[in-house]
């Protein structure tokens, strides 16, 4: 993997593959560049795809004092390395990061996100507050495994499935990244969609959800699309939070094409 220094000197590791207009993929909670390997391979015939290890994960560095601003600087550094005309796709909380970066002035013309996990509404905000409190307590106690289990339960993973995961080699990798769950939690704020801040997003933005995702998740993506000045919404029939790369890739390929006709069909 190549490396570039973020604004605070933290090394950020990234991988580049394919040929064509540059497209940066921003992973969600606990993911690394390799997590997006299947999607990147499907996009590579049409784009130069850049995947990266977010701060504190994989081969990237970490100061231990991460803020949303630092993660925005990391993404800006990767976009700068990708070159002019770069588009961005963000998965889950990586979508929230991409939106925050765009609102802060990241120079992108096309942006797509898949189910940023905002939880608007009174019950959603209470749920987010409880999750934040539990996560902070577990991390403060050094309970990395408990933090990972909390995240898995929040994303719908059954308790018995999590127990099986604990007995696999991947569990140690997840625990090593557990502290970064606080970074993703910070990206989501109190769970409300920051419509005022996102009014500054000038990029054409495609907000995508799965047709089999929960009703609150689908509703949140529609609210998000409406809050963006140039937002459009699309539902992928039969898909869940864990979207199939072979279903998502053609949608992204169509959307990130540079001509207006392609954009109109995708949105």
């Amino acid at each position: 993997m190549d490396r570039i220094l973020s604004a605070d000197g933290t090394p950020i590791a990234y991988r580049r593959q394919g040929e064509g207009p540059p497209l940066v993929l921003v992973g969600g909670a606990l993911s690394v560049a390799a997590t997006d390997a299947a999607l990147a391979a499907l996009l590579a015939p049409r784009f130069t795809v850049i995947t990266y290890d977010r701060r504190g994960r994989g081969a990237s560095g970490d100061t231990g004092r991460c803020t949303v601003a630092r993660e925005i600087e990391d993404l800006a550094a990767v976009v700068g390395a990708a070159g002019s005309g770069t588009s961005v796709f963000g998965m889950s909380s990586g979508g929230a990061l991409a939106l925050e970066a765009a609102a802060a002035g990241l120079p992108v013309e096309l942006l797509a996100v898949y189910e940023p996990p905002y939880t608007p509404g009174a019950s959603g905000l209470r749920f987010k507050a409880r999750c934040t409190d539990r996560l902070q307590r577990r991390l403060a106690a050094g309970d990395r495994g408990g933090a990972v289990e909390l995240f898995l339960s929040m994303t719908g993973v059954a308790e018995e499935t999590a127990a099986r995961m604990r007995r696999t080699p991947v569990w140690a990798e997840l625990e090593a990244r557990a502290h970064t769950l606080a970074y993703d939690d910070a990206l989501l704020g109190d769970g409300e969609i920051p419509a005022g801040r996102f009014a500054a997003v000038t990029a054409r933005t495609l907000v995508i959800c799965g047709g089999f995702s929960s009703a609150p998740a689908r509703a949140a993506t529609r609210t998000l699309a409406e809050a963006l000045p140039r937002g459009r919404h699309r539902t992928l029939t039969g898909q869940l939070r864990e979207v199939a790369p072979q279903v998502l890739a053609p949608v992204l390929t169509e959307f990130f094409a540079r001509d207006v006709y392609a954009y109109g069909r995708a949105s």
Side-chain angles (χ1 to χ4, degrees), residues 42-113:
L42 292 169
L43 294 168
R46 291 287 302 275
F47 304 97
T48 298
V49 184
I50 297 92
T51 54
Y52 75 104
D53 292 343
R54 284 174 53 192
R55 178 177 293 243
R57 312 177 194 194
S60 288
D62 195 4
T63 63
R65 300 183 300 276
C66 184
T67 63
V68 173
R70 296 292 81 77
E71 283 233 72
I72 290 173
E73 291 171 353
D74 298 345
L75 178 53
V78 174
V79 168
S84 62
T86 299
S87 299
V88 174
F89 168 69
M91 173 66 73
S92 189
S93 55
L97 171 54
L99 287 164
E100 290 288 353
L106 186 72
V108 292
E109 295 182 4
L110 293 175
L111 170 64
V113 297

Side-chain angles (χ1 to χ4, degrees), residues 108-261:
V108 292
E109 295 182 4
L110 293 175
L111 170 64
V113 297
Y114 189 89
E115 293 195 14
Y118 296 107
T119 54
S123 61
L125 298 187
R126 287 194 297 271
F127 171 77
K128 175 62 167 59
R130 289 195 300 271
C131 290
T132 296
D133 179 67
R134 292 171 65 190
L135 176 63
Q136 291 177 346
R137 288 175 181 272
R138 294 185 187 193
L139 290 177
D143 184 8
R144 286 177 168 267
V148 173
E149 284 185 333
L150 174 62
F151 167 72
L152 293 175
S153 68
M154 289 169 54
T155 56
V157 176
E159 186 175 337
E160 56 270 22
T161 301
R164 287 196 298 271
M165 290 175 65
R166 269 190 173 272
R167 299 190 292 270
T168 67
V170 73
W171 191 261
E173 298 177 12
L174 295 178
E175 285 195 352
R177 305 171 203 155
H179 65 288
T180 66
L181 289 170
Y183 306 171
D184 291 272
D185 184 72
L187 280 166
L188 299 170
D190 63 0
E192 189 61 80
I193 294 168
R197 192 156 63 248
F198 287 172
V201 176
T202 60
R204 291 176 175 175
T205 307
L206 180 63
V207 182
I208 313 169
C209 72
F212 281 177
S213 293
S214 69
R218 298 197 309 272
T221 59
R222 290 192 177 277
T223 301
L224 173 59
E226 292 169 358
L228 295 165
R230 305 176 76 188
R232 302 292 180 90
H233 186 272
R234 180 160 179 173
T235 301
L236 301 186
T237 303
Q239 295 302 300
L240 296 161
R241 179 188 182 95
E242 297 296 328
V243 61
Q246 64 270 24
V247 175
L248 180 60
V251 175
L252 296 180
T253 297
E254 188 178 47
F255 175 70
F256 287 123
R258 295 301 180 187
D259 60 275
V260 176
Y261 174 66

Side-chain angles (χ1 to χ4, degrees), residues 3-53:
R3 285 174 176 78
I4 191 167
L5 294 182
S6 189
D8 70 345
T10 300
I12 303 298
Y14 68 96
R15 178 177 290 112
R16 187 193 307 259
Q17 67 183 97
E19 295 184 4
L23 171 59
V24 172
L25 307 186
V26 187
L30 296 180
S31 68
V32 290
T35 307
D36 290 324
L39 179 61
L42 292 169
L43 294 168
R46 291 287 302 275
F47 304 97
T48 298
V49 184
I50 297 92
T51 54
Y52 75 104
D53 292 343

